[in-house]
Amino acid sequence: MTFTKKKPAAVAAAILALALLASCGQEAKVEKGVDKAAAEAKAAVEAKSTAEADAKARAAEAEAKVKEAVAIATDAYVYGYSLITTDVTRVQMSNVDKVETLRGPMNQFANVPRYPPADYRGVSAPNADTLYSVAWLDLAEPQVFSHPDMGKRFHLFPMVDLWMTIFASPGTRTGDGKAASYLITGPGWKGEVPKGMRHIASATRYIVILGRTYADGTKRDYKAVNALQAQYRITPLAAWGKPFTPKAPPVDPNPGFSMTDKPQEVILALGTAGYFDMLAKRMCKDSPAYETDKPMLEKMAKIGIEPCKPFDLAKLDPAVQAALKDLPQAALKKIGESQGSLGELVNSWRVTKGLGVYGTDYMKRAVVAAFGWPANLQEDAVYPYTEVDAKGEKLTGAAKYTLTFAKGETPPVNGFWSITMYEIDQGWWFVPNKLNKFTVSPRNNLKANPDGSITLYFQNESPGKEKEANWLPAPKGEFIPMLRMYWPKDKDPSILNGSWQVPMVQRAD
């Protein structure tokens, strides 16, 4: 009886236990399912995060590659700017059938018989001290440059290769004034140098001789200089000692760019692809890179710029192509921004030295190519100029100024010195004036002060008849005086080592 009574309770307890067990199992399954879902969600988030990270990494890598390509291309543009500028200038000045002003066929001198007139607007910052004699040479075969006995007359014949390096500078500083002949040869020439000739080897096939001969501006002196210029000759070595009449090569009717636009405009018009293709061609045989340029060549090769190989912009990544579209403008802007770093300010005069030979300072070379092609060796000439007075205010013809050299402290030169006045009008130009006087120099028979010092006058109106020898007429607007020092002394006092400085311009009214 007792057993019978307890059975239902036991059964219920068993059922309850089973239910509890079932419930626990279900909860375990649910918890397991939740954990799995959470794990899967976490894995999905992690996968998405990894994918995004990978995408960002790839984007960053791609961006870095574009930036690297742009940096290399910019450096390559700057590196080649002197070569392209000089070659464009060569074509524009020599692709003609006869001599005219500063243009003439290959291997012939173009001589300038007079100073430029007051209204001249050709090449900025013209000079009124020397007469130019310019000859572009093709050294596919050796050429002989000869000049007559120059006596004591100052002369200078710097030779510039296509990279814009002055590799020789015959003249008063380096010679004795006597008649001379120079054998000039191109890359790889081997042969015998005739007796009595000085051999000068060029690293490029094409070069330019930028001759300058001193002239005092009088008719009598012009005649004397013109007689000397008529005897400056270029003769092929094969014709040396024989009757020879120069003959102009055929004119190329389609040189590939404008014969009249400014070189900067021509170069910009080439675009990125045209610029680098021209650079690669010119570097092939006519203008091989210097040995010191090897690291630059290795860098340029990374974006397909190699000597003798056509440059194909289309082979670069589309993103790189897009980034290089405006490279010419961006690179030229960078070159322009570096112009201010050329030279140093001394007493408000900008003094630029170390030109003509640049080593691996490609930016300095590019700046000179763009804004002062092709410059001089500092041993030959230094051209300080100023735009402000002693107080840092712009020089203007509305005011009057003086520049005083203390006794015995005029510009220290072995050659000669002068100061040229320029008005500013999208360039630097002579100032028209009633005296037709563009420079002031010792040839004006400068009058000294009682203490032996010499005061020069920069102003629009005459300082008085008794002071006109020392007067440099200024325009009514802003102006720039430029001091030209030919063959500056290299020992104290010297502008080359800073032991002599140009005095400040003082306002006098």
Side-chain angles (χ1 to χ4, degrees):
M1 293 294 292
T2 302
F3 176 77
T4 303
K5 289 181 178 180
K6 290 182 178 179
K7 186 175 180 180
V11 170
I15 292 172
L16 179 61
L18 289 171
L20 289 172
L21 287 172
S23 174
C24 288
Q26 188 64 33
E27 288 180 1
K29 286 183 179 180
V30 170
E31 287 180 5
K32 187 175 181 181
V34 169
D35 289 345
K36 182 179 180 182
E40 290 175 348
K42 182 179 179 182
V45 169
E46 290 177 348
K48 182 179 180 182
S49 177
T50 300
E52 289 177 347
D54 289 345
K56 286 182 179 179
R58 287 194 296 272
E61 183 180 1
E63 183 180 0
K65 287 182 178 180
V66 171
K67 287 183 177 180
E68 181 187 22
V70 171
I72 291 173
T74 301
D75 288 345
Y77 200 96
V78 170
Y79 166 74
Y81 202 79
S82 63
L83 174 59
I84 300 301
T85 298
T86 307
D87 201 53
V88 167
T89 303
R90 172 187 69 83
V91 174
Q92 291 183 331
M93 293 180 70
S94 67
N95 187 37
V96 294
D97 60 359
K98 61 182 179 180
V99 173
E100 48 184 39
T101 315
L102 279 175
R103 304 203 308 170
M106 274 288 176
N107 303 325
Q108 293 185 45
F109 268 106
N111 296 307
V112 176
R114 299 286 187 276
Y115 296 155
D119 60 355
Y120 174 76
R121 288 293 186 275
V123 179
S124 180
N127 95 71
D129 296 306
T130 63
L131 297 183
Y132 286 103
S133 296
V134 181
W136 286 91
L137 274 58
D138 181 352
L139 301 177
E141 63 173 313
Q143 303 290 330
V144 179
F145 160 54
S146 54
H147 66 71
D149 191 315
M150 304 297 289
K152 294 183 179 180
R153 185 177 295 274
F154 184 88
H155 59 286
L156 182 64
F157 295 102
M159 300 178 182
V160 188
D161 70 18
L162 283 188
W163 289 103
M164 216 176 69
T165 296
I166 298 177
F167 60 95
S169 189
T172 303
R173 177 178 65 86
T174 57
D176 56 11
K178 295 180 180 179
S181 297
Y182 303 87
L183 174 63
I184 310 171
T185 59
W189 181 83
K190 294 180 180 180
E192 185 177 344
V193 179
K195 186 177 181 180
M197 286 187 190
R198 175 189 166 190
H199 180 212
I200 299 176
S202 168
T204 64
R205 172 180 171 178
Y206 300 105
I207 71 162
V208 62
I209 299 176
L210 289 167
R212 299 175 183 85
T213 309
Y214 176 80
D216 67 14
T218 63
K219 290 184 178 179
R220 180 179 180 179
D221 204 47
Y222 279 148
K223 184 177 180 180
V225 175
N226 295 162
L228 292 172
Q229 290 176 308
Q231 299 175 72
Y232 301 163
R233 287 190 170 80
I234 303 297
T235 307
L237 177 60
W240 184 251
K242 306 172 186 177
F244 174 74
T245 301
K247 184 179 180 181
V251 172
D252 184 353
N254 184 25
F257 48 79
S258 170
M259 284 285 290
T260 56
D261 288 347
K262 295 179 180 178
Q264 265 193 26
E265 296 172 0
V266 169
I267 295 170
L268 285 174
L270 291 173
T272 304
Y275 181 93
F276 288 136
D277 193 52
M278 184 174 178
L279 179 61
K281 289 178 181 177
R282 293 296 178 269
M283 291 174 63
C284 185
K285 294 180 180 179
D286 296 345
S287 314
Y290 300 136
E291 186 65 30
T292 52
D293 295 339
K294 188 176 180 180
M296 176 58 73
L297 297 186
E298 292 174 351
K299 186 159 61 172
M300 294 195 307
K302 293 180 180 180
I303 58 172
I305 306 171
E306 298 181 78
C308 307
K309 295 183 180 180
F311 175 73
D312 189 354
L313 185 63
K315 288 185 177 180
L316 299 179
D317 185 274
V320 173
Q321 293 180 47
L324 296 182
K325 181 180 179 182
D326 297 323
L327 176 70
Q329 291 78 8
L332 184 58
K333 181 182 178 182
K334 186 174 182 180
I335 292 170
E337 290 170 347
S338 298
Q339 188 178 7
S341 63
L342 201 64
E344 58 179 342
L345 285 177
V346 181
N347 286 345
S348 298
W349 291 77
R350 183 163 293 281
V351 182
T352 303
K353 295 175 288 188
L355 305 181
V357 178
Y358 305 94
T360 56
D361 193 342
Y362 307 132
M363 179 57 78
K364 185 176 185 178
R365 187 174 69 182
V367 169
V368 174
F371 304 104
W373 183 92
N376 295 293
L377 293 173
Q378 65 178 30
E379 293 82 3
D380 286 330
V382 177
Y383 296 169
Y385 68 89
T386 185
E387 301 176 73
V388 298
D389 62 18
K391 294 183 179 179
E393 297 178 349
K394 286 283 188 179
L395 299 174
T396 170
K400 298 178 181 179
Y401 306 90
T402 61
L403 176 66
T404 300
F405 296 114
K407 182 179 180 180
E409 295 184 17
T410 53
V413 293
N414 294 306
F416 65 93
W417 66 269
S418 73
I419 299 179
T420 307
M421 176 66 70
Y422 295 115
E423 63 179 347
I424 305 171
D425 179 19
Q426 295 183 330
W428 300 351
W429 312 108
F430 288 152
V431 178
N433 62 87
K434 62 182 181 181
L435 298 182
N436 204 38
K437 184 179 182 181
F438 310 135
T439 68
V440 63
S441 71
R443 72 173 182 246
N444 297 119
N445 297 317
L446 303 175
K447 293 185 177 181
N449 299 315
D451 64 357
S453 63
I454 293 178
T455 297
L456 306 179
Y457 302 91
F458 302 160
Q459 57 191 65
N460 182 251
E461 297 296 330
S462 171
K465 195 71 177 178
E466 71 283 357
K467 295 180 179 179
E468 281 191 349
N470 296 29
W471 175 40
L472 186 54
K476 293 182 178 180
E478 293 183 358
F479 66 83
I480 290 176
M482 176 183 285
L483 169 63
R484 283 182 165 86
M485 299 176 63
Y486 286 91
W487 189 7
K489 291 188 175 181
D490 57 1
K491 296 180 180 179
D492 296 357
S494 171
I495 194 171
L496 299 181
N497 63 18
S499 57
W500 181 87
Q501 299 177 353
V502 191
M504 287 188 175
V505 175
Q506 304 289 339
R507 184 160 178 166
D509 57 358

